[in-house]
Amino acid sequence: MIRLPLIPTLIVAAAVAVMIWLGLWQLDRRAQKEAALARYAAAQGQAPIPWPEQVDPRDPPLFRRSGLDCHAVAGWREESGRNLRGEAGWVHIAECRTVEGSANVVVGWSSRPDRPNWRGGQVAGVIGPDRSRTIRLIAGQAPAGLLPARPPSLEDVPNNHLSYAIQWFFFAFTALVIYFLALRRRAR
């Protein structure tokens, strides 16, 4: 009979329990992501909504059509992005002042990071994710000198939680195998 060392056994058991819990958590996250993707797919066919000034970061209205009136451009930033043809380049994001606050608007795309000469106006498009404000509006039509930027796509939303769960379960199994091999070697 193999006598189990107490402290190493407790450490391995705790590590395996945490890895199994992480795998189960990833399976739960997978179900949550699938529900969100179903909501996003349904949102694409719904009627436009007014631009939401306040957004719940846990449930943003992504993929909904919306619009706003950009009274003035307070600033610009450029990010790498694609146009409707899939060409890589720069998307031009205006920080727009609105009646109730401000919003980020992807005005359009170009092959160069040069700032466009756009001062604001009515913008209609699709709501997409934004790193700094949770959401931004991707304009459906671009002003002169720019091409329309590619709107958000469901294919861009990763759902790799199943592979993460499998990894955690594999790590737990591997830890057990290594521990039992170490115990066997110790017993010799």
Side-chain angles (χ1 to χ4, degrees):
M1 180 171 156
I2 298 176
R3 189 175 157 106
L4 297 177
L6 180 64
I7 300 298
T9 301
L10 289 175
I11 291 171
V12 170
V16 167
V18 167
M19 288 183 253
I20 290 172
W21 178 83
L22 286 168
L24 294 172
W25 175 68
Q26 286 294 337
L27 290 176
D28 185 51
R29 290 285 300 132
R30 177 181 180 222
Q32 292 172 12
K33 183 64 72 77
E34 287 171 348
L37 287 169
R39 278 194 323 274
Y40 298 158
Q44 291 177 324
Q46 294 175 346
I49 61 172
W51 179 254
E53 291 293 336
Q54 299 295 323
V55 177
D56 180 357
R58 294 166 296 172
D59 189 25
L62 299 176
F63 299 94
R64 291 293 302 266
R65 289 179 289 138
S66 187
L68 57 83
D69 186 9
C70 182
H71 292 292
V73 176
W76 288 97
R77 79 175 199 261
E78 285 72 35
E79 292 180 1
S80 62
R82 297 194 177 273
N83 63 18
L84 293 177
R85 292 183 291 214
E87 298 170 324
W90 299 91
V91 291
H92 302 278
I93 304 162
E95 182 183 338
C96 285
R97 298 282 178 235
T98 64
V99 172
E100 296 182 10
S102 63
N104 284 344
V105 176
V106 177
V107 176
W109 175 95
S110 70
S111 60
R112 301 182 46 81
D114 302 333
R115 300 241 162 113
N117 187 19
W118 185 74
R119 305 258 187 268
Q122 290 287 330
V123 182
V126 177
I127 298 173
D130 187 72
R131 290 185 210 129
S132 64
R133 293 181 175 253
T134 308
I135 62 171
R136 63 183 173 194
L137 185 65
I138 295 88
Q141 294 187 336
L146 298 177
L147 294 174
R150 189 179 87 175
S153 169
L154 289 175
E155 288 79 39
D156 295 337
V157 181
N159 187 8
N160 42 13
H161 297 287
L162 178 60
S163 63
Y164 290 154
I166 290 169
Q167 280 182 314
W168 283 116
F169 294 142
F170 178 75
F171 293 157
F173 175 75
T174 303
L176 287 175
V177 168
I178 290 170
Y179 188 62
F180 285 120
L181 290 175
L183 287 176
R184 198 168 122 196
R185 184 173 183 187
R186 182 176 181 242
R188 286 189 200 160

